[in-house]
Amino acid sequence: MDLAVTREQFDAVRGARHLPDVLKQVLAGASRAGDGEAGGYVLHLTYEEATALNELCAWNVHTDPSGAVTPESRVFDDLVKAILTHPDY
């Protein structure tokens, strides 16, 4: 599956703690999105890699006492939603 991600999402995954080698390889093989330097990337993922990315992102979603996703982890929450709703997942 090809998953378009923003620059912010790409950087968040790249900077995540405990980033597995398989996802490091996915990030290294990412293509630039068509909108140049300010744009994002396209990650080329197998089902297993997408599942690993989903799990990594889910581990990084945190909520406040009311149950709302914290602003700092919104980028990971958005990625979880994007993976789960992707037609090829």
Side-chain angles (χ1 to χ4, degrees):
M1 85 185 238
D2 289 341
L3 180 68
V5 298
T6 66
R7 173 86 179 175
E8 179 185 22
Q9 290 169 329
F10 184 88
D11 290 342
V13 171
R14 188 175 57 192
R17 291 177 37 172
H18 310 296
L19 182 65
D21 289 341
V22 66
L23 291 180
K24 288 178 185 176
Q25 293 172 356
V26 166
L27 295 176
S31 303
R32 285 277 198 176
D35 44 359
E37 186 65 30
Y41 296 85
V42 177
L43 304 180
H44 310 285
L45 302 154
T46 65
Y47 179 81
E48 291 79 11
E49 292 164 343
T51 299
L53 179 59
N54 184 55
E55 289 176 2
L56 176 75
C57 291
W59 293 331
N60 285 283
V61 174
H62 305 287
T63 56
D64 64 20
S66 73
V69 174
T70 63
E72 300 82 30
S73 64
R74 171 97 32 226
V75 65
F76 291 108
D77 188 54
D78 290 344
L79 273 168
V80 168
K81 291 175 186 172
I83 293 165
L84 292 177
T85 60
H86 194 285
D88 293 333
Y89 186 64

PDB file of all heavy atoms in Angstrom, residues 29-67:
ATOM      1  N   GLY A  29      13.139   4.374   2.174  1.00  0.00           N
ATOM      2  CA  GLY A  29      12.663   4.152   0.818  1.00  0.00           C
ATOM      3  C   GLY A  29      11.487   5.019   0.416  1.00  0.00           C
ATOM      4  O   GLY A  29      10.927   4.853  -0.668  1.00  0.00           O
ATOM      5  N   ALA A  30      11.111   5.976   1.257  1.00  0.00           N
ATOM      6  CA  ALA A  30       9.960   6.836   0.971  1.00  0.00           C
ATOM      7  C   ALA A  30      10.234   7.727  -0.231  1.00  0.00           C
ATOM      8  O   ALA A  30      11.369   8.139  -0.471  1.00  0.00           O
ATOM      9  CB  ALA A  30       9.630   7.688   2.190  1.00  0.00           C
ATOM     10  N   SER A  31       9.182   8.015  -0.958  1.00  0.00           N
ATOM     11  CA  SER A  31       9.257   8.934  -2.095  1.00  0.00           C
ATOM     12  C   SER A  31       8.743  10.298  -1.667  1.00  0.00           C
ATOM     13  O   SER A  31       7.847  10.394  -0.832  1.00  0.00           O
ATOM     14  CB  SER A  31       8.368   8.437  -3.244  1.00  0.00           C
ATOM     15  OG  SER A  31       8.712   7.145  -3.635  1.00  0.00           O
ATOM     16  N   ARG A  32       9.304  11.328  -2.248  1.00  0.00           N
ATOM     17  CA  ARG A  32       8.795  12.679  -1.998  1.00  0.00           C
ATOM     18  C   ARG A  32       7.443  12.814  -2.676  1.00  0.00           C
ATOM     19  O   ARG A  32       7.258  12.357  -3.797  1.00  0.00           O
ATOM     20  CB  ARG A  32       9.727  13.731  -2.582  1.00  0.00           C
ATOM     21  CG  ARG A  32      10.972  13.921  -1.788  1.00  0.00           C
ATOM     22  CD  ARG A  32      10.677  14.832  -0.669  1.00  0.00           C
ATOM     23  NE  ARG A  32      11.919  15.363  -0.137  1.00  0.00           N
ATOM     24  CZ  ARG A  32      11.945  16.250   0.802  1.00  0.00           C
ATOM     25  NH1 ARG A  32      10.833  16.729   1.286  1.00  0.00           N
ATOM     26  NH2 ARG A  32      13.077  16.666   1.272  1.00  0.00           N
ATOM     27  N   ALA A  33       6.508  13.453  -2.000  1.00  0.00           N
ATOM     28  CA  ALA A  33       5.219  13.754  -2.615  1.00  0.00           C
ATOM     29  C   ALA A  33       5.432  14.806  -3.696  1.00  0.00           C
ATOM     30  O   ALA A  33       6.444  15.497  -3.706  1.00  0.00           O
ATOM     31  CB  ALA A  33       4.233  14.231  -1.564  1.00  0.00           C
ATOM     32  N   GLY A  34       4.497  14.949  -4.567  1.00  0.00           N
ATOM     33  CA  GLY A  34       4.647  15.819  -5.724  1.00  0.00           C
ATOM     34  C   GLY A  34       4.725  17.304  -5.450  1.00  0.00           C
ATOM     35  O   GLY A  34       4.999  18.065  -6.353  1.00  0.00           O
ATOM     36  N   ASP A  35       4.524  17.748  -4.212  1.00  0.00           N
ATOM     37  CA  ASP A  35       4.476  19.184  -3.963  1.00  0.00           C
ATOM     38  C   ASP A  35       5.785  19.759  -3.426  1.00  0.00           C
ATOM     39  O   ASP A  35       5.789  20.762  -2.738  1.00  0.00           O
ATOM     40  CB  ASP A  35       3.298  19.559  -3.071  1.00  0.00           C
ATOM     41  CG  ASP A  35       3.098  18.628  -1.884  1.00  0.00           C
ATOM     42  OD1 ASP A  35       3.861  17.666  -1.759  1.00  0.00           O
ATOM     43  OD2 ASP A  35       2.181  18.871  -1.101  1.00  0.00           O
ATOM     44  N   GLY A  36       6.884  19.134  -3.734  1.00  0.00           N
ATOM     45  CA  GLY A  36       8.192  19.719  -3.463  1.00  0.00           C
ATOM     46  C   GLY A  36       8.660  19.652  -2.030  1.00  0.00           C
ATOM     47  O   GLY A  36       8.218  18.850  -1.239  1.00  0.00           O
ATOM     48  N   GLU A  37       9.572  20.540  -1.682  1.00  0.00           N
ATOM     49  CA  GLU A  37      10.259  20.532  -0.389  1.00  0.00           C
ATOM     50  C   GLU A  37       9.299  20.687   0.795  1.00  0.00           C
ATOM     51  O   GLU A  37       9.489  20.075   1.827  1.00  0.00           O
ATOM     52  CB  GLU A  37      11.299  21.662  -0.361  1.00  0.00           C
ATOM     53  CG  GLU A  37      12.171  21.681   0.862  1.00  0.00           C
ATOM     54  CD  GLU A  37      13.079  20.470   0.980  1.00  0.00           C
ATOM     55  OE1 GLU A  37      13.474  19.922  -0.050  1.00  0.00           O
ATOM     56  OE2 GLU A  37      13.390  20.074   2.115  1.00  0.00           O
ATOM     57  N   ALA A  38       8.262  21.499   0.650  1.00  0.00           N
ATOM     58  CA  ALA A  38       7.329  21.729   1.754  1.00  0.00           C
ATOM     59  C   ALA A  38       6.357  20.568   1.922  1.00  0.00           C
ATOM     60  O   ALA A  38       5.682  20.463   2.923  1.00  0.00           O
ATOM     61  CB  ALA A  38       6.546  23.021   1.520  1.00  0.00           C
ATOM     62  N   GLY A  39       6.304  19.697   0.940  1.00  0.00           N
ATOM     63  CA  GLY A  39       5.337  18.616   0.958  1.00  0.00           C
ATOM     64  C   GLY A  39       5.777  17.436   1.784  1.00  0.00           C
ATOM     65  O   GLY A  39       6.765  17.479   2.499  1.00  0.00           O
ATOM     66  N   GLY A  40       5.017  16.392   1.657  1.00  0.00           N
ATOM     67  CA  GLY A  40       5.268  15.207   2.448  1.00  0.00           C
ATOM     68  C   GLY A  40       5.938  14.108   1.655  1.00  0.00           C
ATOM     69  O   GLY A  40       6.707  14.358   0.725  1.00  0.00           O
ATOM     70  N   TYR A  41       5.587  12.893   2.042  1.00  0.00           N
ATOM     71  CA  TYR A  41       6.203  11.701   1.481  1.00  0.00           C
ATOM     72  C   TYR A  41       5.139  10.661   1.186  1.00  0.00           C
ATOM     73  O   TYR A  41       4.027  10.729   1.697  1.00  0.00           O
ATOM     74  CB  TYR A  41       7.195  11.105   2.482  1.00  0.00           C
ATOM     75  CG  TYR A  41       8.353  12.003   2.788  1.00  0.00           C
ATOM     76  CD1 TYR A  41       8.268  12.984   3.762  1.00  0.00           C
ATOM     77  CD2 TYR A  41       9.549  11.873   2.089  1.00  0.00           C
ATOM     78  CE1 TYR A  41       9.331  13.812   4.053  1.00  0.00           C
ATOM     79  CE2 TYR A  41      10.620  12.700   2.368  1.00  0.00           C
ATOM     80  CZ  TYR A  41      10.502  13.669   3.346  1.00  0.00           C
ATOM     81  OH  TYR A  41      11.566  14.485   3.615  1.00  0.00           O
ATOM     82  N   VAL A  42       5.520   9.679   0.402  1.00  0.00           N
ATOM     83  CA  VAL A  42       4.688   8.504   0.181  1.00  0.00           C
ATOM     84  C   VAL A  42       5.477   7.311   0.709  1.00  0.00           C
ATOM     85  O   VAL A  42       6.611   7.068   0.283  1.00  0.00           O
ATOM     86  CB  VAL A  42       4.345   8.307  -1.309  1.00  0.00           C
ATOM     87  CG1 VAL A  42       3.547   7.024  -1.502  1.00  0.00           C
ATOM     88  CG2 VAL A  42       3.570   9.505  -1.847  1.00  0.00           C
ATOM     89  N   LEU A  43       4.872   6.612   1.676  1.00  0.00           N
ATOM     90  CA  LEU A  43       5.485   5.412   2.234  1.00  0.00           C
ATOM     91  C   LEU A  43       4.940   4.209   1.483  1.00  0.00           C
ATOM     92  O   LEU A  43       3.728   4.085   1.294  1.00  0.00           O
ATOM     93  CB  LEU A  43       5.159   5.281   3.724  1.00  0.00           C
ATOM     94  CG  LEU A  43       5.531   6.452   4.616  1.00  0.00           C
ATOM     95  CD1 LEU A  43       5.139   6.146   6.059  1.00  0.00           C
ATOM     96  CD2 LEU A  43       7.013   6.771   4.520  1.00  0.00           C
ATOM     97  N   HIS A  44       5.823   3.329   1.045  1.00  0.00           N
ATOM     98  CA  HIS A  44       5.444   2.113   0.336  1.00  0.00           C
ATOM     99  C   HIS A  44       5.511   0.977   1.357  1.00  0.00           C
ATOM    100  O   HIS A  44       6.600   0.592   1.789  1.00  0.00           O
ATOM    101  CB  HIS A  44       6.383   1.872  -0.845  1.00  0.00           C
ATOM    102  CG  HIS A  44       6.529   3.091  -1.714  1.00  0.00           C
ATOM    103  ND1 HIS A  44       5.535   3.496  -2.579  1.00  0.00           N
ATOM    104  CD2 HIS A  44       7.514   4.006  -1.807  1.00  0.00           C
ATOM    105  CE1 HIS A  44       5.926   4.610  -3.189  1.00  0.00           C
ATOM    106  NE2 HIS A  44       7.120   4.936  -2.734  1.00  0.00           N
ATOM    107  N   LEU A  45       4.336   0.474   1.757  1.00  0.00           N
ATOM    108  CA  LEU A  45       4.241  -0.460   2.866  1.00  0.00           C
ATOM    109  C   LEU A  45       3.602  -1.782   2.470  1.00  0.00           C
ATOM    110  O   LEU A  45       2.590  -1.797   1.762  1.00  0.00           O
ATOM    111  CB  LEU A  45       3.365   0.155   3.976  1.00  0.00           C
ATOM    112  CG  LEU A  45       3.812   1.478   4.558  1.00  0.00           C
ATOM    113  CD1 LEU A  45       2.637   2.242   5.122  1.00  0.00           C
ATOM    114  CD2 LEU A  45       4.850   1.231   5.633  1.00  0.00           C
ATOM    115  N   THR A  46       4.179  -2.872   2.955  1.00  0.00           N
ATOM    116  CA  THR A  46       3.492  -4.149   2.887  1.00  0.00           C
ATOM    117  C   THR A  46       2.442  -4.145   3.997  1.00  0.00           C
ATOM    118  O   THR A  46       2.430  -3.261   4.866  1.00  0.00           O
ATOM    119  CB  THR A  46       4.461  -5.325   3.123  1.00  0.00           C
ATOM    120  OG1 THR A  46       4.958  -5.232   4.476  1.00  0.00           O
ATOM    121  CG2 THR A  46       5.607  -5.325   2.124  1.00  0.00           C
ATOM    122  N   TYR A  47       1.584  -5.146   4.023  1.00  0.00           N
ATOM    123  CA  TYR A  47       0.587  -5.240   5.088  1.00  0.00           C
ATOM    124  C   TYR A  47       1.274  -5.312   6.454  1.00  0.00           C
ATOM    125  O   TYR A  47       0.861  -4.650   7.396  1.00  0.00           O
ATOM    126  CB  TYR A  47      -0.323  -6.451   4.878  1.00  0.00           C
ATOM    127  CG  TYR A  47      -1.341  -6.600   5.975  1.00  0.00           C
ATOM    128  CD1 TYR A  47      -2.504  -5.843   5.967  1.00  0.00           C
ATOM    129  CD2 TYR A  47      -1.129  -7.470   7.040  1.00  0.00           C
ATOM    130  CE1 TYR A  47      -3.437  -5.952   6.987  1.00  0.00           C
ATOM    131  CE2 TYR A  47      -2.055  -7.586   8.065  1.00  0.00           C
ATOM    132  CZ  TYR A  47      -3.209  -6.826   8.031  1.00  0.00           C
ATOM    133  OH  TYR A  47      -4.122  -6.931   9.048  1.00  0.00           O
ATOM    134  N   GLU A  48       2.336  -6.096   6.547  1.00  0.00           N
ATOM    135  CA  GLU A  48       3.050  -6.258   7.810  1.00  0.00           C
ATOM    136  C   GLU A  48       3.709  -4.951   8.248  1.00  0.00           C
ATOM    137  O   GLU A  48       3.694  -4.603   9.433  1.00  0.00           O
ATOM    138  CB  GLU A  48       4.093  -7.376   7.707  1.00  0.00           C
ATOM    139  CG  GLU A  48       3.503  -8.760   7.579  1.00  0.00           C
ATOM    140  CD  GLU A  48       3.001  -9.100   6.161  1.00  0.00           C
ATOM    141  OE1 GLU A  48       3.277  -8.341   5.180  1.00  0.00           O
ATOM    142  OE2 GLU A  48       2.290 -10.107   6.036  1.00  0.00           O
ATOM    143  N   GLU A  49       4.278  -4.223   7.300  1.00  0.00           N
ATOM    144  CA  GLU A  49       4.900  -2.937   7.628  1.00  0.00           C
ATOM    145  C   GLU A  49       3.845  -1.920   8.054  1.00  0.00           C
ATOM    146  O   GLU A  49       4.066  -1.147   8.992  1.00  0.00           O
ATOM    147  CB  GLU A  49       5.687  -2.410   6.428  1.00  0.00           C
ATOM    148  CG  GLU A  49       6.914  -3.239   6.114  1.00  0.00           C
ATOM    149  CD  GLU A  49       7.483  -2.975   4.738  1.00  0.00           C
ATOM    150  OE1 GLU A  49       6.782  -2.390   3.876  1.00  0.00           O
ATOM    151  OE2 GLU A  49       8.646  -3.367   4.515  1.00  0.00           O
ATOM    152  N   ALA A  50       2.696  -1.919   7.381  1.00  0.00           N
ATOM    153  CA  ALA A  50       1.605  -1.016   7.760  1.00  0.00           C
ATOM    154  C   ALA A  50       1.101  -1.342   9.162  1.00  0.00           C
ATOM    155  O   ALA A  50       0.807  -0.437   9.952  1.00  0.00           O
ATOM    156  CB  ALA A  50       0.465  -1.105   6.744  1.00  0.00           C
ATOM    157  N   THR A  51       1.031  -2.618   9.484  1.00  0.00           N
ATOM    158  CA  THR A  51       0.609  -3.023  10.817  1.00  0.00           C
ATOM    159  C   THR A  51       1.630  -2.571  11.860  1.00  0.00           C
ATOM    160  O   THR A  51       1.262  -2.066  12.929  1.00  0.00           O
ATOM    161  CB  THR A  51       0.404  -4.550  10.883  1.00  0.00           C
ATOM    162  OG1 THR A  51      -0.621  -4.897   9.936  1.00  0.00           O
ATOM    163  CG2 THR A  51      -0.004  -5.007  12.263  1.00  0.00           C
ATOM    164  N   ALA A  52       2.910  -2.713  11.558  1.00  0.00           N
ATOM    165  CA  ALA A  52       3.961  -2.266  12.475  1.00  0.00           C
ATOM    166  C   ALA A  52       3.886  -0.755  12.676  1.00  0.00           C
ATOM    167  O   ALA A  52       4.014  -0.259  13.805  1.00  0.00           O
ATOM    168  CB  ALA A  52       5.336  -2.674  11.954  1.00  0.00           C
ATOM    169  N   LEU A  53       3.653  -0.018  11.602  1.00  0.00           N
ATOM    170  CA  LEU A  53       3.536   1.432  11.706  1.00  0.00           C
ATOM    171  C   LEU A  53       2.306   1.811  12.523  1.00  0.00           C
ATOM    172  O   LEU A  53       2.359   2.700  13.374  1.00  0.00           O
ATOM    173  CB  LEU A  53       3.466   2.063  10.317  1.00  0.00           C
ATOM    174  CG  LEU A  53       3.327   3.575  10.276  1.00  0.00           C
ATOM    175  CD1 LEU A  53       4.502   4.266  10.976  1.00  0.00           C
ATOM    176  CD2 LEU A  53       3.199   4.059   8.834  1.00  0.00           C
ATOM    177  N   ASN A  54       1.198   1.117  12.291  1.00  0.00           N
ATOM    178  CA  ASN A  54      -0.022   1.375  13.045  1.00  0.00           C
ATOM    179  C   ASN A  54       0.212   1.149  14.544  1.00  0.00           C
ATOM    180  O   ASN A  54      -0.189   1.960  15.378  1.00  0.00           O
ATOM    181  CB  ASN A  54      -1.152   0.489  12.534  1.00  0.00           C
ATOM    182  CG  ASN A  54      -2.457   0.788  13.212  1.00  0.00           C
ATOM    183  OD1 ASN A  54      -2.915   1.928  13.206  1.00  0.00           O
ATOM    184  ND2 ASN A  54      -3.064  -0.224  13.806  1.00  0.00           N
ATOM    185  N   GLU A  55       0.865   0.056  14.884  1.00  0.00           N
ATOM    186  CA  GLU A  55       1.132  -0.243  16.293  1.00  0.00           C
ATOM    187  C   GLU A  55       2.058   0.792  16.920  1.00  0.00           C
ATOM    188  O   GLU A  55       1.824   1.248  18.042  1.00  0.00           O
ATOM    189  CB  GLU A  55       1.718  -1.644  16.432  1.00  0.00           C
ATOM    190  CG  GLU A  55       0.713  -2.740  16.153  1.00  0.00           C
ATOM    191  CD  GLU A  55       1.304  -4.128  16.200  1.00  0.00           C
ATOM    192  OE1 GLU A  55       2.511  -4.274  16.481  1.00  0.00           O
ATOM    193  OE2 GLU A  55       0.550  -5.080  15.961  1.00  0.00           O
ATOM    194  N   LEU A  56       3.111   1.164  16.203  1.00  0.00           N
ATOM    195  CA  LEU A  56       4.034   2.176  16.721  1.00  0.00           C
ATOM    196  C   LEU A  56       3.297   3.486  16.986  1.00  0.00           C
ATOM    197  O   LEU A  56       3.466   4.096  18.041  1.00  0.00           O
ATOM    198  CB  LEU A  56       5.177   2.412  15.733  1.00  0.00           C
ATOM    199  CG  LEU A  56       6.150   3.519  16.124  1.00  0.00           C
ATOM    200  CD1 LEU A  56       7.076   3.048  17.236  1.00  0.00           C
ATOM    201  CD2 LEU A  56       6.939   3.988  14.927  1.00  0.00           C
ATOM    202  N   CYS A  57       2.470   3.894  16.027  1.00  0.00           N
ATOM    203  CA  CYS A  57       1.726   5.142  16.196  1.00  0.00           C
ATOM    204  C   CYS A  57       0.729   5.035  17.344  1.00  0.00           C
ATOM    205  O   CYS A  57       0.593   5.967  18.141  1.00  0.00           O
ATOM    206  CB  CYS A  57       1.020   5.523  14.898  1.00  0.00           C
ATOM    207  SG  CYS A  57       2.162   6.026  13.591  1.00  0.00           S
ATOM    208  N   ALA A  58       0.032   3.916  17.446  1.00  0.00           N
ATOM    209  CA  ALA A  58      -0.948   3.732  18.522  1.00  0.00           C
ATOM    210  C   ALA A  58      -0.283   3.822  19.896  1.00  0.00           C
ATOM    211  O   ALA A  58      -0.869   4.365  20.833  1.00  0.00           O
ATOM    212  CB  ALA A  58      -1.670   2.398  18.354  1.00  0.00           C
ATOM    213  N   TRP A  59       0.926   3.304  20.020  1.00  0.00           N
ATOM    214  CA  TRP A  59       1.661   3.376  21.291  1.00  0.00           C
ATOM    215  C   TRP A  59       1.985   4.813  21.667  1.00  0.00           C
ATOM    216  O   TRP A  59       2.226   5.118  22.830  1.00  0.00           O
ATOM    217  CB  TRP A  59       2.956   2.592  21.234  1.00  0.00           C
ATOM    218  CG  TRP A  59       2.798   1.107  21.123  1.00  0.00           C
ATOM    219  CD1 TRP A  59       1.764   0.347  21.592  1.00  0.00           C
ATOM    220  CD2 TRP A  59       3.700   0.199  20.511  1.00  0.00           C
ATOM    221  NE1 TRP A  59       1.974  -0.973  21.293  1.00  0.00           N
ATOM    222  CE2 TRP A  59       3.164  -1.096  20.629  1.00  0.00           C
ATOM    223  CE3 TRP A  59       4.916   0.358  19.853  1.00  0.00           C
ATOM    224  CZ2 TRP A  59       3.787  -2.232  20.131  1.00  0.00           C
ATOM    225  CZ3 TRP A  59       5.550  -0.774  19.357  1.00  0.00           C
ATOM    226  CH2 TRP A  59       4.987  -2.050  19.495  1.00  0.00           C
ATOM    227  N   ASN A  60       2.029   5.687  20.662  1.00  0.00           N
ATOM    228  CA  ASN A  60       2.405   7.076  20.902  1.00  0.00           C
ATOM    229  C   ASN A  60       1.206   8.019  20.999  1.00  0.00           C
ATOM    230  O   ASN A  60       1.391   9.237  21.049  1.00  0.00           O
ATOM    231  CB  ASN A  60       3.370   7.550  19.814  1.00  0.00           C
ATOM    232  CG  ASN A  60       4.754   6.981  20.024  1.00  0.00           C
ATOM    233  OD1 ASN A  60       5.494   7.454  20.875  1.00  0.00           O
ATOM    234  ND2 ASN A  60       5.089   5.938  19.292  1.00  0.00           N
ATOM    235  N   VAL A  61      -0.001   7.484  20.994  1.00  0.00           N
ATOM    236  CA  VAL A  61      -1.192   8.307  21.189  1.00  0.00           C
ATOM    237  C   VAL A  61      -1.482   8.356  22.684  1.00  0.00           C
ATOM    238  O   VAL A  61      -1.608   7.325  23.337  1.00  0.00           O
ATOM    239  CB  VAL A  61      -2.414   7.737  20.424  1.00  0.00           C
ATOM    240  CG1 VAL A  61      -3.668   8.528  20.766  1.00  0.00           C
ATOM    241  CG2 VAL A  61      -2.164   7.744  18.919  1.00  0.00           C
ATOM    242  N   HIS A  62      -1.556   9.566  23.199  1.00  0.00           N
ATOM    243  CA  HIS A  62      -1.825   9.769  24.623  1.00  0.00           C
ATOM    244  C   HIS A  62      -3.068  10.643  24.767  1.00  0.00           C
ATOM    245  O   HIS A  62      -3.350  11.482  23.912  1.00  0.00           O
ATOM    246  CB  HIS A  62      -0.624  10.427  25.308  1.00  0.00           C
ATOM    247  CG  HIS A  62       0.636   9.662  25.109  1.00  0.00           C
ATOM    248  ND1 HIS A  62       0.900   8.468  25.752  1.00  0.00           N
ATOM    249  CD2 HIS A  62       1.700   9.889  24.306  1.00  0.00           C
ATOM    250  CE1 HIS A  62       2.072   8.003  25.366  1.00  0.00           C
ATOM    251  NE2 HIS A  62       2.590   8.846  24.487  1.00  0.00           N
ATOM    252  N   THR A  63      -3.795  10.429  25.837  1.00  0.00           N
ATOM    253  CA  THR A  63      -5.004  11.202  26.082  1.00  0.00           C
ATOM    254  C   THR A  63      -4.884  11.968  27.396  1.00  0.00           C
ATOM    255  O   THR A  63      -4.111  11.602  28.279  1.00  0.00           O
ATOM    256  CB  THR A  63      -6.241  10.290  26.149  1.00  0.00           C
ATOM    257  OG1 THR A  63      -6.040   9.284  27.135  1.00  0.00           O
ATOM    258  CG2 THR A  63      -6.497   9.613  24.802  1.00  0.00           C
ATOM    259  N   ASP A  64      -5.671  13.000  27.492  1.00  0.00           N
ATOM    260  CA  ASP A  64      -5.723  13.772  28.742  1.00  0.00           C
ATOM    261  C   ASP A  64      -6.763  13.134  29.665  1.00  0.00           C
ATOM    262  O   ASP A  64      -7.407  12.151  29.279  1.00  0.00           O
ATOM    263  CB  ASP A  64      -6.001  15.249  28.457  1.00  0.00           C
ATOM    264  CG  ASP A  64      -7.356  15.499  27.820  1.00  0.00           C
ATOM    265  OD1 ASP A  64      -8.262  14.630  27.915  1.00  0.00           O
ATOM    266  OD2 ASP A  64      -7.526  16.580  27.219  1.00  0.00           O
ATOM    267  N   PRO A  65      -6.933  13.660  30.864  1.00  0.00           N
ATOM    268  CA  PRO A  65      -7.882  13.054  31.812  1.00  0.00           C
ATOM    269  C   PRO A  65      -9.318  12.958  31.289  1.00  0.00           C
ATOM    270  O   PRO A  65     -10.078  12.092  31.710  1.00  0.00           O
ATOM    271  CB  PRO A  65      -7.803  13.974  33.042  1.00  0.00           C
ATOM    272  CG  PRO A  65      -6.424  14.534  32.983  1.00  0.00           C
ATOM    273  CD  PRO A  65      -6.143  14.718  31.520  1.00  0.00           C
ATOM    274  N   SER A  66      -9.693  13.813  30.351  1.00  0.00           N
ATOM    275  CA  SER A  66     -11.053  13.754  29.808  1.00  0.00           C
ATOM    276  C   SER A  66     -11.184  12.721  28.688  1.00  0.00           C
ATOM    277  O   SER A  66     -12.275  12.479  28.196  1.00  0.00           O
ATOM    278  CB  SER A  66     -11.463  15.129  29.281  1.00  0.00           C
ATOM    279  OG  SER A  66     -10.778  15.422  28.078  1.00  0.00           O
ATOM    280  N   GLY A  67     -10.055  12.138  28.262  1.00  0.00           N
ATOM    281  CA  GLY A  67     -10.076  11.140  27.199  1.00  0.00           C
ATOM    282  C   GLY A  67      -9.779  11.691  25.817  1.00  0.00           C
ATOM    283  O   GLY A  67      -9.742  10.952  24.840  1.00  0.00           O
TER     284      GLY A  67
END
